[in-house]
PDB file of all heavy atoms in Angstrom:
ATOM      1  N   ALA A 850     -39.756  -2.305  48.089  1.00 96.00           N
ATOM      2  CA  ALA A 850     -38.469  -1.959  48.727  1.00 96.00           C
ATOM      3  C   ALA A 850     -37.632  -1.088  47.798  1.00 96.00           C
ATOM      4  O   ALA A 850     -37.033  -0.094  48.231  1.00 96.00           O
ATOM      5  CB  ALA A 850     -37.712  -3.231  49.089  1.00 96.00           C
ATOM      6  N   SER A 851     -37.621  -1.429  46.512  1.00 97.00           N
ATOM      7  CA  SER A 851     -36.781  -0.654  45.589  1.00 97.00           C
ATOM      8  C   SER A 851     -37.328   0.765  45.425  1.00 97.00           C
ATOM      9  O   SER A 851     -36.574   1.705  45.218  1.00 97.00           O
ATOM     10  CB  SER A 851     -36.656  -1.363  44.238  1.00 97.00           C
ATOM     11  OG  SER A 851     -37.909  -1.481  43.625  1.00 97.00           O
ATOM     12  N   LYS A 852     -38.646   0.934  45.573  1.00 97.00           N
ATOM     13  CA  LYS A 852     -39.213   2.285  45.530  1.00 97.00           C
ATOM     14  C   LYS A 852     -38.747   3.093  46.739  1.00 97.00           C
ATOM     15  O   LYS A 852     -38.410   4.275  46.626  1.00 97.00           O
ATOM     16  CB  LYS A 852     -40.741   2.231  45.479  1.00 97.00           C
ATOM     17  CG  LYS A 852     -41.245   1.842  44.098  1.00 97.00           C
ATOM     18  CD  LYS A 852     -42.756   1.841  44.030  1.00 97.00           C
ATOM     19  CE  LYS A 852     -43.215   1.465  42.608  1.00 97.00           C
ATOM     20  NZ  LYS A 852     -44.653   1.231  42.541  1.00 97.00           N
ATOM     21  N   ASN A 853     -38.729   2.446  47.908  1.00 97.00           N
ATOM     22  CA  ASN A 853     -38.218   3.129  49.098  1.00 97.00           C
ATOM     23  C   ASN A 853     -36.759   3.527  48.923  1.00 97.00           C
ATOM     24  O   ASN A 853     -36.336   4.613  49.336  1.00 97.00           O
ATOM     25  CB  ASN A 853     -38.364   2.235  50.334  1.00 97.00           C
ATOM     26  CG  ASN A 853     -39.816   2.069  50.744  1.00 97.00           C
ATOM     27  OD1 ASN A 853     -40.617   2.989  50.541  1.00 97.00           O
ATOM     28  ND2 ASN A 853     -40.155   0.916  51.289  1.00 97.00           N
ATOM     29  N   ILE A 854     -36.012   2.619  48.299  1.00 96.00           N
ATOM     30  CA  ILE A 854     -34.584   2.907  48.050  1.00 96.00           C
ATOM     31  C   ILE A 854     -34.474   4.101  47.111  1.00 96.00           C
ATOM     32  O   ILE A 854     -33.660   4.999  47.310  1.00 96.00           O
ATOM     33  CB  ILE A 854     -33.880   1.651  47.473  1.00 96.00           C
ATOM     34  CG1 ILE A 854     -33.860   0.542  48.532  1.00 96.00           C
ATOM     35  CG2 ILE A 854     -32.474   1.982  47.002  1.00 96.00           C
ATOM     36  CD1 ILE A 854     -33.474  -0.837  48.009  1.00 96.00           C
ATOM     37  N   SER A 855     -35.345   4.121  46.094  1.00 97.00           N
ATOM     38  CA  SER A 855     -35.360   5.245  45.154  1.00 97.00           C
ATOM     39  C   SER A 855     -35.640   6.565  45.889  1.00 97.00           C
ATOM     40  O   SER A 855     -34.946   7.558  45.686  1.00 97.00           O
ATOM     41  CB  SER A 855     -36.412   4.985  44.077  1.00 97.00           C
ATOM     42  OG  SER A 855     -36.704   6.171  43.383  1.00 97.00           O
ATOM     43  N   PHE A 856     -36.657   6.580  46.781  1.00 96.00           N
ATOM     44  CA  PHE A 856     -36.996   7.819  47.518  1.00 96.00           C
ATOM     45  C   PHE A 856     -35.815   8.300  48.352  1.00 96.00           C
ATOM     46  O   PHE A 856     -35.510   9.481  48.399  1.00 96.00           O
ATOM     47  CB  PHE A 856     -38.204   7.586  48.449  1.00 96.00           C
ATOM     48  CG  PHE A 856     -39.470   7.314  47.701  1.00 96.00           C
ATOM     49  CD1 PHE A 856     -40.409   6.413  48.205  1.00 96.00           C
ATOM     50  CD2 PHE A 856     -39.736   7.946  46.492  1.00 96.00           C
ATOM     51  CE1 PHE A 856     -41.580   6.144  47.515  1.00 96.00           C
ATOM     52  CE2 PHE A 856     -40.910   7.679  45.786  1.00 96.00           C
ATOM     53  CZ  PHE A 856     -41.838   6.770  46.303  1.00 96.00           C
ATOM     54  N   ARG A 857     -35.166   7.346  49.014  1.00 95.00           N
ATOM     55  CA  ARG A 857     -34.018   7.740  49.844  1.00 95.00           C
ATOM     56  C   ARG A 857     -32.883   8.281  48.986  1.00 95.00           C
ATOM     57  O   ARG A 857     -32.137   9.160  49.408  1.00 95.00           O
ATOM     58  CB  ARG A 857     -33.547   6.567  50.702  1.00 95.00           C
ATOM     59  CG  ARG A 857     -34.594   6.226  51.757  1.00 95.00           C
ATOM     60  CD  ARG A 857     -34.182   5.099  52.660  1.00 95.00           C
ATOM     61  NE  ARG A 857     -35.369   4.539  53.322  1.00 95.00           N
ATOM     62  CZ  ARG A 857     -35.342   3.662  54.304  1.00 95.00           C
ATOM     63  NH1 ARG A 857     -34.184   3.216  54.755  1.00 95.00           N
ATOM     64  NH2 ARG A 857     -36.456   3.218  54.848  1.00 95.00           N
ATOM     65  N   GLY A 858     -32.784   7.731  47.767  1.00 95.00           N
ATOM     66  CA  GLY A 858     -31.782   8.248  46.830  1.00 95.00           C
ATOM     67  C   GLY A 858     -32.132   9.660  46.384  1.00 95.00           C
ATOM     68  O   GLY A 858     -31.261  10.533  46.314  1.00 95.00           O
ATOM     69  N   ILE A 859     -33.406   9.892  46.102  1.00 95.00           N
ATOM     70  CA  ILE A 859     -33.864  11.212  45.656  1.00 95.00           C
ATOM     71  C   ILE A 859     -33.507  12.279  46.694  1.00 95.00           C
ATOM     72  O   ILE A 859     -33.117  13.394  46.347  1.00 95.00           O
ATOM     73  CB  ILE A 859     -35.387  11.176  45.374  1.00 95.00           C
ATOM     74  CG1 ILE A 859     -35.642  10.402  44.071  1.00 95.00           C
ATOM     75  CG2 ILE A 859     -35.973  12.591  45.272  1.00 95.00           C
ATOM     76  CD1 ILE A 859     -37.094  10.082  43.793  1.00 95.00           C
ATOM     77  N   CYS A 860     -33.570  11.904  47.965  1.00 92.00           N
ATOM     78  CA  CYS A 860     -33.229  12.849  49.031  1.00 92.00           C
ATOM     79  C   CYS A 860     -31.744  13.203  49.049  1.00 92.00           C
ATOM     80  O   CYS A 860     -31.321  14.087  49.772  1.00 92.00           O
ATOM     81  CB  CYS A 860     -33.658  12.302  50.387  1.00 92.00           C
ATOM     82  SG  CYS A 860     -35.452  12.240  50.547  1.00 92.00           S
TER      83      CYS A 860
END
Side-chain angles (χ1 to χ4, degrees):
S851 62
K852 284 182 179 170
N853 290 329
I854 294 167
S855 164
F856 294 144
R857 292 181 199 189
I859 287 170
C860 292

